[in-house]
């Protein structure tokens, strides 16, 4: 039986792994979790020095780790390092991802595999690595980053991106069902268009959203924070839409 009641957001004493934490949404997530007291393992294939510095400025502990989420050995190393440094893992947020806009006619098998490998398989490998540890600890919060594209068939992204993100939304339900009696909560956030390096050069305009602005990484980070915290202890298996009103479901 799940006995945890919902409470206020306070991540003091909690340990969080954030992938894709070098920049954009992942960086904002890492900083938000740290602001609320979490100790953070910030990982990426790119340097995470700026993220670590911002977290330490807030007075929280953080370590950086280079990790390609498509490489199981590197994922296991990231999780092992988190346990060695902090003794446990309470929160995993999977922000690492890539977006391709190629349309069906032009997608090579190699490009298809790359997008699926990072967005879906890589997200799975991270969940797979932390999940048994959370179960054994009888507590955990996993938040994956999906996309509005995985729900509406793409804003301007290609079918491989759409499929990978739809897969992420579906996969959290498996972990959520399995983890429910172990206090392991598993949810996804589906951002609408957010201004980051990923979307630089995309033909976006603020008027696309009913709220008349597209997203900033912090808009997504605060939703992730909610799902990572005790404030959401009666929520599992959902995909939370955060999109300025572009999808009202
Ligand atoms: N920006 C948007 O409009 C938007 C909308 C919906 C969903 N998303 C999703 O949000 C997440 C973050 O996107 P963002 O906009 O901040 O993009 P971004 O490109 O700014 O950040 C993505 C990060 O993931 C890292 N990364 C890529 N491949 C990796 C790998 N194999 N292993 C480890 N790290 C890897 C990159 O180095 C980068 O730091 C992605 O999953 C993306 O699909 C973004």
């Amino acid at each position: 039986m799940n006995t945890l009641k919902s409470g206020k957001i306070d991540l003091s004493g909690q340990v969080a792994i954030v992938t894709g934490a070098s920049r954009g949404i992942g960086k904002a997530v890492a900083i938000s979790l740290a602001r609320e007291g979490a100790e953070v393992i910030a990982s990426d294939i790119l340097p995470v020095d700026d993220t670590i510095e911002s977290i330490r400025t807030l007075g929280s502990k953080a370590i950086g780790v280079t990790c390609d989420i498509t490489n199981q050995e590197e994922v296991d190393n990231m999780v092992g390092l988190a346990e060695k440094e902090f003794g446990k893992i309470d929160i995993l947020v999977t922000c690492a991802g890539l977006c391709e806009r190629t349309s069906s006619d032009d997608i090579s098998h190699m490009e298809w595999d790359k997008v699926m490998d990072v967005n879906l398989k890589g997200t799975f490998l991270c969940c797979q690595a932390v999940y048994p540890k959370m179960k054994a600890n009888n507590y955990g919060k996993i938040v994956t980053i999906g996309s509005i594209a995985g729900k509406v068939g793409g804003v301007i992204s290609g079918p491989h991106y759409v499929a990978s993100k739809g897969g992420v939304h579906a996969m959290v339900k498996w972990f959520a069902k399995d983890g429910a009696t172990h206090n392991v909560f598993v949810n996804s956030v589906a951002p609408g268009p957010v201004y980051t390096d990923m979307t630089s050069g995309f033909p976006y305009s603020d008027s696309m959203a009913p709220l008349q602005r597209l997203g900033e990484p912090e808009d997504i980070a605060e939703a992730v924070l909610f799902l990572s915290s005790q404030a959401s202890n009666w929520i599992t298996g959902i995909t939370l839409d955060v999109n300025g009103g572009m999808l009202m479901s």
Side-chain angles (χ1 to χ4, degrees):
M1 187 171 73
N2 172 278
T3 53
L4 296 176
K5 305 268 188 249
S6 295
K8 68 186 175 83
I9 293 177
D10 178 4
L11 302 184
S12 308
Q14 305 260 296
V15 178
I17 294 179
V18 182
T19 71
S22 172
R23 64 188 195 190
I25 292 170
K27 181 178 181 183
V29 166
I31 292 169
S32 290
L33 298 182
R35 188 194 71 215
E36 300 305 327
E39 294 168 335
V40 176
I41 296 89
S43 90
D44 204 297
I45 45 173
L46 295 176
V48 290
D49 303 353
D50 284 353
T51 308
I52 299 289
E53 198 180 320
S54 303
I55 290 175
R56 290 188 179 150
T57 305
L58 290 169
S60 288
K61 281 193 205 157
I63 55 171
V65 57
T66 304
C67 172
D68 178 344
I69 60 163
T70 65
N71 181 318
Q72 178 144 30
E73 209 177 313
E74 292 188 24
V75 170
D76 289 343
N77 176 50
M78 168 181 75
V79 170
L81 187 72
E83 281 195 306
K84 183 166 163 264
E85 292 290 327
F86 298 116
K88 60 173 184 161
I89 300 156
D90 301 294
I91 299 164
L92 166 70
V93 187
T94 62
C95 303
L98 54 86
C99 179
E100 297 289 352
R101 296 163 58 190
T102 322
S103 69
S104 171
D105 285 351
D106 299 319
I107 294 175
S108 64
H109 289 186
M110 199 186 291
E111 184 177 311
W112 173 274
D113 288 347
K114 190 176 173 204
V115 171
M116 296 301 281
D117 268 2
V118 176
N119 291 355
L120 185 52
K121 185 178 164 193
T123 299
F124 169 70
L125 289 178
C126 295
C127 294
Q128 185 188 38
V130 301
Y131 181 62
K133 297 174 189 306
M134 289 178 167
K135 259 169 97 170
N137 201 26
N138 204 32
Y139 183 76
K141 296 264 177 180
I142 297 176
V143 185
T144 65
I145 303 298
S147 174
I148 190 174
K151 295 189 126 188
V152 304
V155 179
I156 55 169
S157 47
H160 39 1
Y161 184 78
V162 168
S164 70
K165 292 300 188 178
V168 167
H169 301 160
M171 187 177 67
V172 296
K173 295 180 187 174
W174 187 91
F175 281 104
K177 282 187 175 178
D178 197 74
T181 52
H182 303 275
N183 294 320
V184 181
F185 303 79
V186 189
N187 295 290
S188 198
V189 169
V194 177
Y195 292 117
T196 65
D197 287 292
M198 177 181 279
T199 55
S200 133
F202 284 21
Y204 282 171
S205 78
D206 285 326
S207 61
M208 288 164 70
L211 287 180
Q212 295 301 303
R213 72 172 178 89
L214 296 188
E216 299 294 338
E218 291 72 21
D219 291 310
I220 309 306
E222 297 305 317
V224 170
L225 176 63
F226 166 67
L227 289 174
S228 303
S229 77
Q230 304 292 318
S232 55
N233 277 352
W234 208 46
I235 299 176
T236 199
I238 69 157
T239 293
L240 179 60
D241 298 316
V242 186
N243 53 46
M246 286 179 72
L247 172 64
M248 301 182 185
S249 61

